[in-house]
Amino acid sequence: MSNLRGKHIVLGISGGIAAYKSVMLLRLLVKAGAEVQVVITPNGKEFITPVTLSALSGKPVVSEFFTANTGEWHSHVDLGLWADLMIIAPATASTIGKMANGIADNMLITTYLSAKEQVMVAPAMDLDMWRHPSTQRNIETLKRDGVIIVEPEAGELASGLVGKGRMEEPEGIVKAAEAYFAKTASLTGKRVMVTAGPTFENIDPVRFIGNYSSGKMGFAIAEEFASRGAEVLLIAGPVSMEVKGEGIKRINVVSAREMYEAAVSNFDGMDYVVLAAAVADYAPETVSESKIKREGTDEMVLKLVKNPDIAATLGSMKTTQKIIGFALETDHELENALHKLKKKNLDWIVLNSLRDPEAGFMKDTNKITIVSDTGMELEFPAKRKTEVAKDIADVVAGK
Ligand code: CTP
């Protein structure tokens, strides 16, 4: 049985010759048990009639913002909430360009811009258009935005030319959709703990020692594991971020000591533990109960004591858990990362270098190298943190 059964799919069709193949794609999706809502661009309707599409999908086709005779408003926001997957096939060069740049001049693009679900695109165009730097740039942008690209095939094109640009066959697109849903369920039944954000170590009721960690990387990891069906426990330091997605339980902590206690007491029964938090290594030995006054002292000495090492403690407690640590280094990066991995008894360590302009605190992007306990190194290009989270999940938990 196909894993598309019962899934809600928005099928976006833009105006290219390959639109005729969308009829077959629609049929295959419906046959596999999916509920499909077609959204077509005005140009798409020049190639294929909405009557055929609504007959096959069993739903009126959405094309305009309003239905002319009834004045009914089609809500792209509702579609975004309803859908489990959006497939745009064919995606013309123009549609791809609009998607990459947020030009929302038709219902298909507004639906794309408010999509909460994964979006998959099957481009179709002539080989010169496909090869054009502008198209390639837009495709790269979409990839960075998390869109899955079903690469066009090489072959005979509608223009009579031979080359890359022909839309993937409907069967291939269905396979890509099935592969996506297989991945979303691949960690069902697994339990994952993620630490994220900074820790704050109080000095007095109004001051603390902290760091610039935003929590973005850890939150993206929690969301990625949850999107694959895992039950996630997110132990978050003081950050203002909200976590998105179902299947995530959040414990908020402030200090390293609190994070340590939450992590140690929940470690048992976990399958994966990802330690993305930037934990303060030291905390003031005593916390003043009242605000420390400026008057009367020209100097101030704070005595700091070492915080417990969460990673090393969990590493020593580990039975079947896989532990993934992070290392943010400025020099001798690989050497230091591998040393941390061994010392803390981790299974993987994710290295990011502060020297890299696209890596580090408060950024939306990161550039990582994943190192395994056998010394295997996997280097990735700079990507958005949501995409980096996918690479980490792929490597540590399998594709
Ligand atoms: N870590 C932890 N508890 C601590 C310190 C670090 O769990 N008290 C974890 C981090 O979440 C990270 C890994 O250990 O996954 C490495 O953190 P890092 O600060 O780079 O390591 P340190 O051992 O503190 O080394 P350094 O001297 O470079 O700060």
Side-chain angles (χ1 to χ4, degrees):
M1 196 176 76
S2 168
N3 63 4
L4 297 181
R5 177 159 298 280
K7 293 291 188 306
H8 292 173
I9 297 178
V10 169
L11 174 60
I13 302 176
S14 61
I17 304 278
Y20 78 91
K21 289 191 192 171
S22 306
V23 178
M24 184 51 83
L25 174 59
L26 171 58
R27 257 202 82 217
L28 292 176
L29 293 171
V30 170
K31 236 172 102 185
E35 250 189 80
V36 185
Q37 172 63 60
V38 175
V39 180
I40 192 165
T41 63
N43 271 340
K45 287 194 286 188
E46 303 288 327
F47 290 87
I48 181 162
T49 83
V51 179
T52 313
L53 299 165
S54 63
L56 286 173
S57 65
K59 289 180 196 297
V61 168
V62 174
S63 179
E64 314 297 333
F65 293 108
F66 293 96
T67 302
N69 47 0
T70 63
E72 189 194 348
W73 160 253
H74 297 294
S75 168
H76 47 93
V77 177
D78 287 350
L79 271 182
L81 294 173
W82 172 83
D84 301 306
L85 176 68
M86 179 177 192
I87 304 175
I88 303 178
T92 58
S94 161
T95 289
I96 289 166
K98 288 180 190 175
M99 287 170 74
N101 294 287
I103 301 169
D105 67 348
N106 65 44
M107 189 67 192
L108 176 55
I109 308 294
T110 50
T111 305
Y112 165 66
L113 291 181
S114 44
K116 302 252 181 306
E117 70 281 12
Q118 175 67 50
V119 178
M120 188 176 270
V121 156
M125 64 198 75
D126 230 8
L127 76 160
D128 292 319
M129 292 175 83
W130 173 252
R131 274 199 305 233
H132 197 280
S134 158
T135 307
Q136 288 307 313
R137 227 174 18 245
N138 290 333
I139 289 283
E140 280 315 305
T141 303
L142 292 189
K143 282 187 187 165
R144 279 178 79 109
D145 291 345
V147 172
I148 298 174
I149 308 291
V150 184
E151 290 283 323
E153 299 179 309
E156 198 175 318
L157 302 165
S159 60
L161 297 170
V162 176
K164 197 168 174 182
R166 197 168 77 176
M167 187 174 89
E168 169 66 274
E169 292 304 319
E171 291 79 5
I173 299 173
V174 168
K175 272 207 187 105
E178 286 175 338
Y180 163 70
F181 284 115
K183 199 169 185 177
T184 62
S186 61
L187 293 177
T188 304
K190 298 286 181 202
R191 296 181 64 199
V192 181
M193 180 161 93
V194 180
T195 66
T199 63
F200 288 177
E201 311 300 328
N202 282 349
I203 298 170
D204 71 9
V206 292
R207 304 180 181 95
F208 60 84
I209 299 173
N211 62 65
Y212 288 120
S213 169
S214 62
K216 282 180 183 167
M217 194 63 250
F219 276 55
I221 290 168
E223 286 164 6
E224 184 56 34
F225 273 95
S227 82
R228 297 181 188 205
E231 195 188 310
V232 177
L233 175 68
L234 172 65
I235 304 175
V239 289
S240 56
M241 286 179 76
E242 294 291 326
V243 68
K244 295 180 224 117
E246 284 166 31
I248 305 177
K249 188 178 156 219
R250 175 172 177 175
I251 299 179
N252 289 323
V253 296
V254 176
S255 65
R257 173 58 66 183
E258 284 172 22
M259 188 174 274
Y260 170 85
E261 273 154 21
V264 168
S265 62
N266 286 288
F267 186 60
D268 201 25
M270 289 294 165
D271 295 289
Y272 299 99
V273 174
V274 187
L275 302 167
V279 186
D281 289 329
Y282 297 90
E285 186 179 40
T286 52
V287 180
S288 169
E289 273 181 28
S290 45
K291 190 180 169 205
I292 299 170
K293 297 308 257 178
R294 187 153 64 111
E295 232 165 79
T297 36
D298 289 335
E299 260 186 11
M300 185 171 165
V301 178
L302 264 184
K303 183 164 180 208
L304 303 178
V305 290
K306 219 173 199 157
N307 275 328
D309 188 326
I310 303 168
T313 308
L314 300 183
S316 70
M317 289 166 67
K318 146 170 120 174
T319 51
T320 54
Q321 297 90 339
K322 295 264 177 261
I323 309 182
I324 300 96
F326 271 71
L328 184 64
E329 304 291 340
T330 50
D331 36 33
H332 300 107
E333 287 102 330
L334 272 169
E335 201 183 313
N336 282 340
L338 202 55
H339 175 70
K340 271 179 199 169
L341 178 144
K342 296 273 180 230
K343 201 177 67 187
K344 302 189 187 202
N345 196 25
L346 309 176
D347 296 272
W348 304 89
I349 197 149
V350 180
L351 165 68
N352 31 130
S353 169
L354 256 194
R355 284 198 188 162
D356 210 300
E358 291 192 273
F361 287 162
M362 297 198 284
K363 301 238 166 71
D364 282 325
T365 54
N366 201 357
K367 187 171 180 308
I368 60 160
T369 303
I370 305 181
V371 185
S372 81
D373 56 354
T374 56
M376 186 178 78
E377 288 164 29
L378 292 163
E379 209 181 322
F380 295 87
K383 297 182 182 188
R384 288 170 78 95
K385 286 184 174 166
T386 46
E387 295 305 295
V388 173
K390 289 181 188 164
D391 291 335
I392 294 171
D394 280 349
V395 172
V396 305
K399 291 211 188 216

